[in-house]
Amino acid sequence: MLSYRHAFHAGNHADVLKHLILIQIATYMAEKPAPFWIIDTHAGAGRYSLASAQAAKLGEFRDGIGRLWDKKGLPPAVTDYVDFVRQLNPDGKLAQYPGSPWLARQLLRDADRLRLYEMHSTDIKLLQECFKGAGRQVTVNEGDGFAGLKALL
């Protein structure tokens, strides 16, 4: 099995694109009254410290969120994305980065649901801690996300 740890790549250019699209799709889905689910088959830890040894090792966030952090005049969709990242960094210093699960949780309405899957033994504990107290709206599952998705469908 390939071992992929989100923490080494948090906030990189691929995260920026993926998270910008996630925000746009969830916002669009929320325009309709019907509840929706967001299912993340490879959730990771939920959020990340950019000062951690993993994030600092490759420093990929510098060419992702780092390039947008202090930019002015960004397109509205990019501004929305950066504003979500700013929620985790209220002092204005880029130190924390939200993963897809954290962002998805911010976008849910009361009737919407978030289902998260993670296999890595360290990341599942961090993910569970990230969503402790989230109630029935968020379900954190340890295990194979593809198998979990198949079971849900």
Side-chain angles (χ1 to χ4, degrees), residues 1-4 119-120:
M1 180 182 104
L2 174 66
S3 180
Y4 179 89
M119 290 180 70
H120 195 277

Side-chain angles (χ1 to χ4, degrees), residues 54-84:
Q54 294 94 344
K57 182 173 184 173
L58 301 175
E60 291 183 9
F61 67 90
R62 291 182 192 97
D63 285 328
I65 184 61
R67 293 182 71 164
L68 301 174
W69 189 247
D70 291 321
K71 287 268 192 209
K72 303 292 184 224
L74 295 169
V78 179
T79 298
D80 292 345
Y81 156 74
V82 173
D83 287 345
F84 275 106

Side-chain angles (χ1 to χ4, degrees), residues 8-141:
F8 287 94
H9 312 286
N12 70 9
H13 68 283
D15 262 358
V16 169
L17 179 60
K18 175 179 67 171
H19 294 154
L20 194 146
I21 291 169
L22 170 65
I23 292 166
Q24 294 303 302
I25 290 172
T27 301
Y28 174 75
M29 295 295 292
E31 290 177 5
K32 301 178 184 231
F36 62 88
W37 284 24
I38 296 177
I39 303 167
D40 193 333
T41 60
H42 296 73
R47 62 180 176 225
Y48 305 92
S49 167
L50 297 178
S52 72
Q54 294 94 344
K57 182 173 184 173
L58 301 175
E60 291 183 9
F61 67 90
R62 291 182 192 97
D63 285 328
I65 184 61
R67 293 182 71 164
L68 301 174
W69 189 247
D70 291 321
K71 287 268 192 209
K72 303 292 184 224
L74 295 169
V78 179
T79 298
D80 292 345
Y81 156 74
V82 173
D83 287 345
F84 275 106
V85 180
R86 288 189 189 287
Q87 288 180 30
L88 280 180
N89 298 281
D91 65 355
K93 181 181 175 199
L94 179 60
Q96 299 289 317
Y97 188 77
S100 300
W102 188 91
L103 287 167
R105 175 65 181 95
Q106 308 314 304
L107 296 161
L108 298 182
R109 303 163 301 171
D110 289 342
D112 302 328
R113 298 290 177 258
L114 178 59
R115 300 294 177 258
L116 306 171
Y117 295 87
E118 179 54 49
M119 290 180 70
H120 195 277
S121 59
T122 301
D123 287 351
I124 187 65
K125 291 174 185 150
L126 295 169
L127 186 64
Q128 289 166 335
E129 183 62 29
C130 184
F131 289 98
K132 190 166 105 178
R136 295 180 52 190
Q137 190 173 34
V138 179
T139 303
V140 177
N141 301 283

